[in-house]
Amino acid sequence: MPAYKIAVLKGDGIGPEIVESAIKVLKGVEHLSGHSFELEEGLIGGVAIDQKGEPLPQETLDLCLKADAVLLGAVGGPKWDNLPTSKRPERGLLEIRKALDLYANLRPAKVYEPLIGASPLKEEVVRGTDFIVIRELTGDVYYGEPRGIFLEGGKRIGINTMRYTEDEIRRVVVKGFEVAMKRRKKLTSVDKSNVLEVSGLWRDVVEEERKNYPEVEVEHLYVDNCAMQIVRRPSSFDVIVTGNIFGDILSDEAAVITGSLGMLPSASLGERYALYEPIHGSAPDIAGKGIANPIATILSVAMMLRYSFHLEKEAKAIERAVELVLEKGYRTPDIYSEGCLKVGTKEMTDAIISSLEEAWQSF
Ligand code: IPM
Ligand code: MG
């Protein structure tokens, strides 16, 4: 069997620790399944700025272009906060998304029953929540031109441009329908078509595509209303599909209501490439302390096994192993509550690896 090639970009802050943990779990999968994974590291973000002078060096991009999938930790930190927008670590992330044409960002928002008490919402409201935000990732106001700060009549004017072609909308909307077909067959499309022409086009494309998926129930929501409904009736959503900027905002909201930001993985998919990373950031305040929650990155590896390598059993085994350690009461400080077992990154990782075999046997 040929080895799957994975480009590993640890990045900044807690990035290196959590990626190390995820790699250990991947080795566990290798051991159980007999599949092999070949890892090669590259620099991104602040460390890349420090060592190579830019957030996404060409050699890192080349490495990713050769790989079957990319695993990323996190980028950014106070050290680089005063750099101009175009030179910040985050730029590396935006450039890699564009360069690999990763147009569909899948961000699951799932409530884990053992952690339900950590949600800021009432238990009865949030119980059973399990939806996925599909955020368009390579267009919109993030990349639209013209952009910049200009002078007009001696005064500064800031300009960004919201822009989508119908093809850009269509491919992510189709992804939304496809994912919905594999889940509970409900799609919520989010826009601001009462104000924005771009959103009017978005809604038209969704209406055109729904004809190809008659089994999927479609709901359109304005983004402001959707923000409200996510806290009022989170368990009613299945798949939410939306543009880049709305998706950025709604996916943070979705993540926090689960009470487990440190638990949520993500996948960024294109036709050819795919990148997997935790939803949370680089958490520079706890970097190097050995207390970061590795679960989001470990679950990102599960998504990689599922979406890039079609290793469903292996993906499920990791997800089940995570549930098992939560049921056993293991908690990193970010998800700790009284009566549980407080552990650091290493203990959490080891516990997941120990549960992996039990999980593997159960399928
Ligand atoms: C995210 C982040 C990024 C984004 C930043 C770091 C550029 O907020 O991945 O959601 O806005 O896309
Ligand atoms: Mg964001």
Side-chain angles (χ1 to χ4, degrees), residues 50-360:
D50 288 352
Q51 291 182 39
K52 301 280 169 184
E54 49 190 345
L56 180 66
Q58 186 61 43
E59 59 206 77
T60 300
L61 186 55
D62 289 342
L63 175 73
C64 296
L65 291 168
K66 279 190 323 203
D68 298 314
V70 181
L71 177 65
L72 188 131
V75 299
K79 183 173 173 197
W80 306 281
D81 270 353
N82 294 325
L83 294 171
T85 322
S86 62
K87 299 217 160 55
R88 290 168 63 105
E90 290 84 348
R91 198 73 224 157
L93 209 50
L94 298 179
E95 282 174 13
I96 201 169
R97 288 172 181 170
K98 195 72 178 170
L100 303 182
D101 199 21
L102 305 172
Y103 64 85
N105 182 215
L106 277 53
R107 299 187 168 192
K110 179 176 148 100
V111 169
Y112 287 85
E113 190 61 29
L115 300 183
I116 198 164
S119 169
L121 299 185
K122 292 194 193 99
E123 285 191 16
E124 64 268 26
V125 173
V126 82
R127 174 158 290 122
T129 295
D130 179 4
F131 65 92
I132 185 162
V133 178
I134 302 188
R135 164 191 177 192
E136 200 288 332
L137 205 56
T138 51
D140 205 347
V141 71
Y142 269 65
Y143 297 91
E145 299 279 348
R147 66 185 297 159
I149 298 172
F150 305 95
L151 276 178
E152 208 175 78
K155 295 274 186 197
R156 285 168 303 163
I157 169 174
I159 297 182
N160 288 95
T161 303
M162 184 174 268
R163 180 181 192 278
Y164 267 123
T165 66
E166 65 173 305
D167 290 352
E168 286 173 325
I169 299 171
R170 196 173 307 279
R171 62 184 186 170
V172 74
V173 164
V174 165
K175 181 71 83 185
F177 277 107
E178 281 172 355
V179 173
M181 281 301 288
K182 290 193 191 140
R183 294 177 48 106
R184 300 193 305 278
K185 301 195 173 66
K186 179 164 182 209
L187 184 73
T188 303
S189 171
V190 177
D191 63 45
K192 187 71 187 171
S193 57
N194 49 346
V195 179
L196 303 172
E197 284 76 10
V198 176
S199 284
L201 178 62
W202 182 283
R203 202 173 270 223
D204 289 347
V205 172
V206 174
E207 283 301 306
E208 288 156 25
E209 284 304 321
R210 77 185 289 179
K211 301 189 180 82
N212 300 324
Y213 302 89
E215 286 173 57
V216 177
E217 182 194 334
V218 177
E219 163 186 56
H220 294 282
L221 290 181
Y222 297 138
V223 62
D224 48 350
N225 185 22
C226 183
M228 195 162 72
Q229 300 308 332
I230 284 177
V231 294
R232 282 177 72 178
R233 52 170 176 94
S235 63
S236 75
F237 293 100
D238 180 18
V239 177
I240 294 179
V241 67
T242 190
N244 205 344
I245 187 83
F246 299 155
D248 178 44
I249 299 164
L250 293 179
S251 61
D252 264 26
E253 185 191 7
V256 80
I257 62 154
T258 66
S260 25
L261 188 56
M263 305 271 307
L264 300 175
S266 80
S268 302
L269 310 175
E271 297 306 335
R272 165 74 185 82
Y273 301 102
L275 179 148
Y276 301 84
E277 61 177 319
I279 282 191
H280 61 71
S282 61
D285 51 321
I286 59 162
K289 295 190 178 155
I291 56 171
N293 186 348
I295 292 181
T297 317
I298 291 169
L299 292 174
S300 299
V301 165
M303 286 188 99
M304 174 187 290
L305 297 174
R306 170 171 300 123
Y307 290 106
S308 283
F309 307 148
H310 308 290
L311 298 174
E312 183 62 28
K313 177 176 173 185
E314 287 75 1
K316 282 223 174 76
I318 294 182
E319 289 163 352
R320 182 71 195 125
V322 167
E323 279 171 10
L324 284 170
V325 299
L326 293 176
E327 283 162 17
K328 288 175 193 158
Y330 288 85
R331 302 283 187 275
T332 42
D334 58 307
I335 51 173
Y336 177 77
S337 59
E338 240 182 76
C340 294
L341 196 64
K342 198 186 266 184
V343 296
T345 313
K346 183 176 181 305
E347 293 92 329
M348 181 58 102
T349 308
D350 291 345
I352 292 170
I353 294 168
S354 308
S355 297
L356 199 55
E357 181 144 10
E358 180 185 339
W360 180 258

